[in-house]
Amino acid sequence: MDKPNPQSGSKSNPVKEAAEKVTGALRGDSDDARGAIPGRPAPEPPQVDEPTEVRPPLPPKPDQRGPATMSPTGEATGVDQDVVAQRDAYLTTAQGARLYDTDHSLKAGERGPTLLQDHHLREKITHFDHERIPERVVHARGAAAHGVFQGYGTAASITKAAFLGKDVETQVFVRFSTVLGSRGSADTVRDTRGFATKFYTHEGTFDLVGNNIPVFFIQDAIKFPDIIHAGKPHPDREIPQAQSAHDTFWDFVTLHTEATHHTLWNMSDRGIPRSYRMMEGFGVHTFRLVNAEGGTTLAKFHWKPKLGVHSQVWEEAQITGGMDPDFHRRDLADAIEAGAYPQWELGVQVFPDNPEQVFEGIDLLDPTNLVPEELAPVQPIGLLTLNANPTNYFAETEQVAFHPGHLVPGIDITDDPLLTGRLFSYLDTQITRLGGPNFGQLPINRPHAPVNDMLRDGMHQTAVHSGTAPYKPNSLDGGCPFMAGEDVSAYVEVPQAVAAGRKVRQAPASFSDHFSQPRRFWLSMTPVEREHIIAAYTFELNKCYEQAIKERALKVLANIDPQLCQEVATGLGLPAPEPTVPLASVEPSPALSQIGKTWPTDGRIIGIVAGADGDLAGLRAVRQAVLDADMVPLVIAPAGGKLDVGQGEPVTVQRTFATARSIEFDAILLAGTPQAGADAFGARDAKADELSTVTTDPRALLLVSEAYRHGKAIGGWSGALPVLEAAGVPDLAPGVVLGDDGGEVLRTITGLLAKHRVWERFPAVA
């Protein structure tokens, strides 16, 4: 017999009432105009400025209902649902103690190191680290590869780290990732990317755990749960996935303006890399390096890709997310499989280790700051080559555990409050995610240096320790293991003076400038890059529901640049506000732009469109020429199988008109006018709804028109002109190359590829 539900009596049905209210609003029956369009993130509209008047927590929205309040044994308790939710108007600890600050770690003076006694930091970070299992809370979606790092020996004057010695080779494992999305999200979302490298050195494991953006959203680790909670999907609906285009993200970053610099980078082309192979990496923090004589230097780490820094345009990224959500991991694995091994140079910017830890007026302990390369050039110190794919994704890519505290002699930390918090957080995270304290014994995490610790037992202990005295000092084990000295590569922390002062939750005054560095970045962009930033802000903010958040975002943009603010305001249909602070007077840094240089074309993917009645002999020659140039040719034809070239081996078809899309290719070549595929009708493929006047498959025309729209080089020979005309591509446009010989066309196209795109096709508004 069914039990009555005590949550819904005969007098009222809250679910039905909520449904009727929404239905009425959609009909226009309600006076609440906000209810007419679903998607509002909160039960009432926010105000532009941060609320300061104390009030109780907001109630749930009308369309929301929690689980029935039942006992562990399945009996109804009769307790109101809102009683089990947050109750107090003030922020408290998990034990109910009210807090006066949650933005600053407890430090020994405003510039001093973070104190271990900070119970609020420990509780907040610990709870955050344990929010999800077993998937990573952040950086859940990743791809990785094995490789080797070779030191140049050029860093000997600044660090005694042995793996940087001349011609020293060190095995590495590198994991790339997005930050916000789950393991099942797409690769080409607009997001920060992780760039984490595990060096298995003979002095111990060194983890350089960074991002593809040199600055971070926050200045203090205690705010990391806040920025991630804001960026993650809304907790009521778990949407949007792997995106920052929503209210909670923009609510936080517009109220917390120290996030402005990183947000601007994310809205630039850097937010959508073309490939992990074409992505910069940064250590983000300032580290302290120690040389053999004990001298110290401050430094920032940089990874510079040999192929240059390149991105997708926004429409490409959107198409890619639907056509191939695994685009970046596939690109990395395919390149390694093809022998086009990705390479990066590791470089350092070095600064004097002065007491202020400031360089050219830039606070080196503020992780929202970068130092322009024009002021401190990046000096190469080694070469990374990725040359092997993992054998098992879970055992390697998923179980690899990085930690900024995995250091080797010659590399030490600074009092950067974001870095010091990470030292606690990463270790704590691995204990939950990997089931206990012995995560370092998993095969992918095992050091390549001798290990003789006195850590014992615990879950997943796989080492069989001998001896009877796991303590120091001891005599029963003959005193083993013994302490090491610096003469045998012991890790010794730099005896750095600690700033004296009161215990405070404060930041130094130099951390309060939130707009001069974003303005430098904006002024360093070329006109086309600025247009992309304007478009990104306009798109993201138009996806927000709340008008107040849009208005607040414009106030932030006004303090960066009037043009940026005005153009985004126009797209939002809002007036552009005036700046609230004087615009910073800064010099542009051309090194921040991705445009204006030329790069190697190794590993670039060339799509060659052909058919059985085209120039098959020319196709075969061009395909071989692409291979000889260390690029990858993919033949696209109406159907799969092979194209018979008459003499020589037939050419294998890698893509068909049904499976190919422009986003996969860096350039398109047309070997004549291919015929339509047998499946070129709408019921089979909506993209092939009707044939063109030249009987070319509509999907081939879509391929060409998209490539043109995205600024890619297009070439053709042997009667390719009708295809261009049918696709609406002007044959005299920049980056369109026609000729009688496929080899000559390819040579010109290869020259264009060195600049990544035909940027002349993107004229910027004056």
Side-chain angles (χ1 to χ4, degrees):
M1 180 177 177
D2 293 338
K3 295 182 179 180
N5 182 2
Q7 301 296 323
S8 57
S10 59
K11 294 183 178 180
S12 66
N13 186 327
V15 176
K16 182 179 179 181
E17 290 172 358
E20 289 175 348
K21 181 177 181 180
V22 173
T23 302
L26 292 173
R27 289 198 308 262
D29 300 342
S30 171
D31 292 333
D32 180 10
R34 286 167 44 80
I37 300 175
R40 60 178 177 180
E44 63 181 53
Q47 59 194 54
V48 174
D49 297 321
E50 181 178 5
T52 57
E53 184 177 345
V54 177
R55 57 168 294 173
L58 298 179
K61 294 191 296 180
D63 62 309
Q64 295 176 321
R65 179 172 65 91
T69 50
M70 312 293 287
S71 76
T73 56
E75 295 294 324
T77 65
V79 176
D80 292 338
Q81 290 179 341
D82 62 350
V83 171
V84 299
Q86 296 95 327
R87 301 288 291 172
D88 197 58
Y90 295 92
L91 181 65
T92 74
T93 68
Q95 308 307 315
R98 289 180 175 176
L99 295 163
Y100 71 92
D101 185 285
T102 191
D103 280 348
H104 302 95
S105 301
L106 192 65
K107 297 184 281 291
E110 66 179 19
R111 295 185 63 79
T114 303
L115 299 179
L116 185 62
Q117 72 182 71
D118 188 350
H119 61 93
H120 175 42
L121 168 67
R122 291 288 304 271
E123 179 188 78
K124 187 175 179 181
I125 292 288
T126 297
H127 195 280
F128 171 74
D129 290 341
H130 294 250
E131 282 182 353
R132 293 178 179 84
I133 57 171
E135 183 180 277
R136 287 170 169 87
V137 177
V138 289
H139 299 278
R141 181 171 181 81
H146 297 274
V148 63
F149 178 83
Q150 185 177 39
Y152 290 164
T154 52
S157 63
I158 56 174
T159 177
K160 61 184 177 182
F163 77 97
L164 295 173
K166 183 172 176 57
D167 297 330
V168 174
E169 292 193 351
T170 303
Q171 294 186 48
V172 298
F173 190 72
V174 180
R175 187 178 189 270
F176 306 101
S177 55
T178 54
V179 172
L180 293 177
S182 68
R183 279 189 59 187
S185 57
D187 278 347
T188 58
V189 294
R190 183 180 295 281
D191 195 3
T192 307
R193 264 73 181 176
F195 193 130
T197 307
K198 186 176 289 292
F199 297 84
Y200 303 97
T201 88
H202 72 266
E203 294 183 306
T205 300
F206 171 52
D207 288 348
L208 183 55
V209 195
N211 290 331
N212 73 321
I213 292 176
V215 294
F216 206 63
F217 282 110
I218 53 175
Q219 297 165 326
D220 193 312
I222 199 170
K223 290 178 276 194
F224 192 67
D226 299 313
I227 178 59
I228 298 303
H229 285 166
K232 283 285 188 177
H234 291 199
D236 53 351
R237 300 187 179 187
E238 189 62 11
I239 55 174
Q241 176 64 243
Q243 297 178 53
S244 57
H246 55 90
D247 290 78
T248 58
F249 174 81
W250 288 99
D251 186 38
F252 179 83
V253 300
T254 54
L255 289 171
H256 225 67
T257 52
E258 70 191 58
T260 302
H261 195 194
H262 187 113
T263 303
L264 185 61
W265 276 74
N266 246 359
M267 295 302 106
S268 76
D269 291 339
R270 303 285 188 136
I272 321 171
R274 157 63 179 85
S275 163
Y276 289 137
R277 299 178 291 128
M278 304 163 194
M279 187 177 83
E280 270 185 304
F282 303 90
V284 179
H285 308 288
T286 299
F287 292 83
R288 179 171 280 109
L289 305 183
V290 188
N291 63 20
E293 291 73 39
T296 61
T297 306
L298 299 181
K300 287 182 175 289
F301 290 104
H302 294 245
W303 290 111
K304 297 285 189 182
K306 285 288 195 177
L307 296 178
V309 186
H310 308 299
S311 301
Q312 287 195 326
V313 296
W314 179 229
E315 188 187 46
E316 266 189 296
Q318 292 175 298
I319 296 172
T320 306
M323 291 294 297
D324 187 3
D326 304 309
F327 183 76
H328 283 154
R329 60 172 61 183
R330 188 190 314 281
D331 175 88
L332 177 67
D334 285 354
I336 293 173
E337 183 180 0
Y341 298 142
Q343 291 186 316
W344 291 260
E345 272 194 321
L346 179 63
V348 288
Q349 288 179 296
V350 295
F351 321 101
D353 190 1
N354 55 43
E356 297 78 20
Q357 297 171 95
V358 170
F359 180 78
E360 297 288 342
I362 299 169
D363 193 326
L364 298 175
L365 296 190
D366 183 350
T368 67
N369 283 344
L370 60 80
V371 178
E373 294 182 26
E374 291 79 10
L375 297 179
V378 177
Q379 304 174 38
I381 60 175
L383 179 67
L384 167 67
T385 304
L386 297 183
N387 54 21
N389 287 310
T391 300
N392 181 276
Y393 183 91
F394 178 79
E396 299 167 86
T397 307
E398 189 62 16
Q399 291 196 127
V400 64
F402 296 95
H403 177 28
H406 292 166
L407 301 164
V408 292
I411 303 176
D412 203 346
I413 64 166
T414 59
D415 290 334
D416 174 342
L418 177 64
L419 175 57
T420 52
R422 291 179 72 198
L423 296 176
F424 169 78
S425 179
Y426 277 67
L427 182 62
D428 187 50
T429 297
Q430 311 304 350
I431 293 174
T432 290
R433 199 173 63 82
L434 297 173
N438 293 307
F439 60 86
Q441 296 184 23
L442 292 168
I444 193 63
N445 296 322
R446 291 175 182 170
H448 293 196
V451 175
N452 190 0
D453 59 42
M454 290 187 293
L455 308 175
R456 293 294 184 268
D457 307 335
M459 293 184 65
H460 305 147
Q461 175 62 257
T462 58
V464 182
H465 295 98
S466 60
T468 59
Y471 51 82
K472 289 289 292 183
N474 75 72
S475 62
L476 293 177
D477 281 344
C480 297
F482 296 94
M483 298 299 177
E486 289 193 69
D487 58 328
V488 285
S489 300
Y491 186 88
V492 179
E493 289 82 2
V494 176
Q496 191 72 15
V498 176
R502 299 172 296 112
K503 293 188 298 184
V504 294
R505 292 190 184 275
Q506 294 179 5
S510 56
F511 277 38
S512 62
D513 177 7
H514 300 163
F515 298 111
S516 62
Q517 290 241 339
R519 179 158 175 77
R520 187 198 308 275
F521 183 80
W522 168 259
L523 294 177
S524 303
M525 297 294 100
T526 61
V528 65
E529 289 172 304
R530 293 186 187 183
E531 293 294 338
H532 291 169
I533 291 172
I534 291 167
Y537 270 104
T538 305
F539 174 88
E540 297 255 327
L541 292 170
N542 264 320
K543 298 288 279 188
C544 291
Y545 189 95
E546 298 295 352
Q547 181 88 345
I549 291 175
K550 300 176 186 179
E551 293 176 10
R552 194 189 307 138
L554 290 175
K555 288 186 174 183
V556 173
L557 297 182
N559 291 334
I560 300 174
D561 187 83
Q563 179 200 6
L564 171 62
C565 181
Q566 180 61 65
E567 294 296 332
V568 174
T570 299
L572 299 178
L574 294 172
E578 293 297 318
T580 57
V581 297
L583 294 178
S585 178
V586 292
E587 290 295 322
S589 171
L592 296 175
S593 172
Q594 296 180 216
I595 299 177
K597 309 178 187 68
T598 58
W599 303 96
T601 59
D602 300 11
R604 290 289 184 159
I605 300 174
I606 311 299
I608 310 176
V609 182
D613 55 352
D615 178 14
L616 299 183
L619 166 65
R620 189 165 183 264
V622 167
R623 182 181 179 278
Q624 186 59 49
V626 172
L627 289 169
D628 292 343
D630 294 324
M631 297 186 291
V632 179
L634 295 179
V635 176
I636 310 163
K642 295 181 182 293
L643 297 176
D644 185 5
V645 298
Q647 296 180 347
E649 290 294 321
V651 175
T652 301
V653 175
Q654 283 83 29
R655 301 288 186 272
T656 67
F657 291 162
T659 61
R661 201 68 185 265
S662 63
I663 49 96
E664 186 177 7
F665 310 105
D666 295 294
I668 298 292
L669 297 179
L670 299 166
T673 304
Q675 75 279 17
D679 58 347
F681 54 94
R684 186 73 59 82
D685 189 340
K687 300 189 301 297
D689 194 30
E690 59 182 71
L691 295 178
S692 70
T693 55
V694 294
T695 68
T696 298
D697 196 297
R699 295 165 296 183
L701 301 181
L702 178 63
L703 183 77
V704 173
S705 64
E706 283 181 351
Y708 178 78
R709 194 162 64 245
H710 300 155
K712 297 179 180 180
I714 300 172
W717 70 94
S718 188
L721 180 58
V723 179
L724 297 179
E725 292 175 339
V729 174
D731 60 303
L732 298 178
V736 178
V737 182
L738 292 175
D740 297 325
D741 178 73
E744 288 294 331
V745 170
L746 175 62
R747 279 187 282 276
T748 305
I749 292 293
T750 303
L752 294 170
L753 276 175
K755 295 183 178 180
H756 182 56
R757 293 189 194 275
V758 184
W759 296 109
E760 295 86 345
R761 292 202 207 129
F762 298 106
V765 177

